[in-house]
């Protein structure tokens, strides 16, 4: 059976980590594309030279030519710029929107049958723009954020309670920004909702609120520590989980920025919701019932994303 092909657009911090993880998991042959000549090739060669000790058999290639992504099964987009301390993700909108236009054109020309995962920030607006610029079907273009935000929530809960992350699961909905909605009611420890964990007295309500806020600030916390860029290991691992679910038709239910066509009462916007990811791409948006406080928080988050989409339309009128 021929190997699958994975194209990584952007060979920076996340792109390089995506290449390493894809190789170690033997997800397919890898093309690392970057506008900066040599970056993709350098990382491809470096990772290829780890194969003898890691024991994987995949081909890696670096490039600055879009034609090399031809026939890719999965395209993961990290092209653009990350934020620095003092910036919000939204400050990246104008510069990264231009990048999405170029990337969208490249995908449309050479990889129109691919499953596309966008990571570039501000995530929900960028995945919306990338789908428009590429013209690919909405079920084949998705944004990575919810898996990362939920992983952060899981990490903080497991650490707080002194339990394995294996037994904690969490859901964070909404846009990938300050308004994201970590859902305590749908996040569990061995099946016990966090709201019950509080009732049982295992964790105080105040501590849970602090952890929820730390989750919302999870990206900024790492930007503050790194100073020169943003998180990349966990973001890459999150996108790989999504790519793997598509390539292996695992049909995992993962929180991701999906195109909403009436679900949750929202139309025409990408926002973080639980999605079944399988061979058909984003196969189904799972509509969980929200109580009034959760709905209010979700609506606020959708409003923030819609504001960014309007800003995109002003900058690039052809998106309107
Ligand atoms: N969705 C999420 O949860 C997360 C999103 N991000 C975002 O991911 C993006 C990438 O982050 P990093 O990899 O850390 O940044 P990075 O700066 O290390 O890598 C970005 C790469 O994109 C390349 N690039 C710039 N313009 C390009 C173009 N027109 N075509 C192709 N490549 C181009 C750059 O040369 C650079 O190598 C940022 O926008 C960041 O904010 C980061 C973490 C989590
Ligand atoms: O915070 C950032 O700029 C990068 C990001 O989206 C994250 O790590 O969640």
């Amino acid at each position: 059976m021929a190997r699958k092909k994975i194209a990584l657009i952007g060979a920076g911090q996340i792109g390089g980590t995506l290449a390493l993880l894809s190789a170690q998991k033997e997800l397919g042959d890898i093309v690392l594309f970057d506008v900066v000549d040599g970056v993709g090739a350098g990382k491809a060669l470096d990772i290829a030279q780890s194969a003898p000790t890691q024991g994987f058999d995949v081909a890696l290639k670096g490039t600055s030519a879009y034609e090399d992504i031809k026939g890719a099964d999965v395209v993961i987009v990290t092209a653009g710029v990350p934020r620095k301390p003092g910036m919000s993700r939204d400050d990246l909108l104008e510069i990264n929107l231009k990048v999405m236009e170029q990337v969208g054109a490249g995908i449309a020309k050479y990889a129109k049958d691919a499953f596309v995962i966008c990571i570039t920030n501000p995530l929900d607006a960028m995945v919306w723009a990338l789908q428009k610029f590429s013209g690919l079907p909405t079920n084949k273009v998705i944004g990575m954020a919810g898996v990362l935000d939920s992983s952060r929530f899981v990490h903080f809960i497991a650490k707080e309670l002194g339990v394995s992350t294996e037994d904690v699961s969490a859901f964070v909905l909404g846009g990938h920004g300050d308004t994201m909605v970590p859902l305590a009611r749908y996040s569990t420890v061995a099946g016990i909702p966090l709201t019950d964990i509080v009732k049982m007295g295992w964790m105080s309500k105040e501590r849970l609120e602090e952890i929820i806020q730390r989750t919302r600030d999870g990206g900024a916390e790492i930007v503050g520590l790194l100073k020169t860029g943003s998180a990349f290991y966990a973001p890459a691992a999150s996108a790989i989980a999504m790519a793997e679910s598509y390539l292996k038709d695992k049909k995992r239910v993962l929180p991701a920025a999906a195109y909403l066509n009436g679900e949750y009462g929202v139309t025409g916007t990408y926002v973080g919701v639980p999605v079944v990811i399988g061979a058909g791409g984003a196969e189904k948006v799972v509509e969980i019932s929200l109580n009034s406080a959760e709905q209010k928080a979700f609506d606020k988050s959708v409003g923030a994303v819609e504001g960014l989409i309007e800003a995109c339309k002003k900058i690039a009128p052809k998106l309107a």
Side-chain angles (χ1 to χ4, degrees):
M1 196 172 66
R3 290 189 204 129
K4 299 287 186 188
K5 178 167 175 176
I6 306 184
L8 306 172
I9 313 293
Q13 296 285 51
I14 304 178
T17 311
L18 286 168
L20 179 65
L21 293 175
S22 302
Q24 288 176 337
K25 285 176 167 276
E26 292 189 323
L27 291 185
D29 290 339
I30 298 152
V31 175
L32 262 165
F33 176 98
D34 205 285
V35 275
V36 179
D37 190 38
V39 170
K43 291 195 180 182
L45 186 58
D46 188 9
I47 293 170
Q49 291 169 355
S50 75
T53 53
Q54 297 293 296
F56 57 75
D57 287 297
V58 298
L60 288 121
K61 177 179 179 152
T63 185
S64 291
Y66 268 109
E67 63 195 52
D68 286 325
I69 74 165
K70 197 170 175 186
D73 296 283
V74 170
V75 177
I76 308 182
V77 179
T78 60
V81 292
R83 65 172 158 161
K84 297 218 167 67
M87 294 172 79
S88 100
R89 295 180 181 93
D90 301 352
D91 296 335
L92 306 171
L93 186 135
E94 194 158 353
I95 183 162
N96 284 347
L97 184 62
K98 291 197 182 79
V99 175
M100 291 306 102
E101 183 163 13
Q102 294 167 17
V103 176
I107 293 173
K109 190 158 179 198
Y110 294 108
K112 63 177 177 37
D113 294 324
F115 180 55
V116 178
I117 302 171
C118 179
I119 302 184
T120 302
N121 271 321
L123 187 271
D124 307 85
M126 291 303 103
V127 65
W128 174 86
L130 185 64
Q131 187 276 324
K132 290 258 182 195
F133 284 133
S134 67
L136 265 59
T138 51
N139 64 313
K140 298 294 284 294
V141 182
I142 199 165
M144 188 295 293
V147 176
L148 171 65
D149 298 326
S150 303
S151 296
R152 287 179 173 149
F153 198 13
V154 166
H155 165 74
F156 295 140
I157 294 288
K159 210 162 155 239
E160 176 70 16
L161 298 179
V163 300
S164 167
T165 52
E166 266 183 61
D167 298 314
V168 183
S169 88
F171 256 111
V172 177
L173 302 190
H176 184 56
D178 299 340
T179 59
M180 73 177 71
V181 189
L183 285 179
R185 224 160 49 93
Y186 287 105
S187 301
T188 62
V189 180
I192 310 163
L194 292 183
T195 38
D196 287 357
I197 296 277
V198 168
K199 279 188 206 144
M200 289 157 58
W202 198 0
M203 183 173 17
S204 70
K205 194 167 183 305
E206 294 68 36
R207 194 67 194 116
L208 176 59
E209 284 307 322
E210 279 168 17
I211 287 174
I212 287 175
Q213 192 54 43
R214 190 172 178 197
T215 301
R216 286 199 196 99
D217 297 336
E221 183 176 358
I222 292 179
V223 170
L225 290 165
L226 293 180
K227 295 180 188 71
T228 53
S230 50
F232 49 100
Y233 294 119
S238 303
I240 291 294
M242 294 167 68
E244 203 169 11
S245 192
Y246 171 76
L247 289 167
K248 298 183 180 170
D249 194 23
K250 284 169 75 90
K251 303 198 190 295
R252 293 198 59 193
V253 185
L254 296 170
Y259 183 82
L260 296 185
N261 193 13
E263 297 91 346
Y264 291 90
V266 177
T267 302
T269 298
Y270 271 85
V271 72
V273 290
V275 192
V276 178
I277 299 178
E283 294 184 350
K284 180 182 166 54
V285 169
V286 180
E287 283 189 86
I288 53 179
S289 77
L290 301 176
N291 65 28
S292 62
E294 291 159 349
Q295 186 69 49
K296 207 171 146 204
F298 182 74
D299 291 346
K300 187 177 168 202
S301 196
V302 171
V305 173
E306 285 173 341
L308 293 177
I309 287 177
E310 285 312 309
C312 290
K313 289 179 185 168
K314 283 205 182 99
I315 297 166
K318 70 173 166 187
L319 288 172

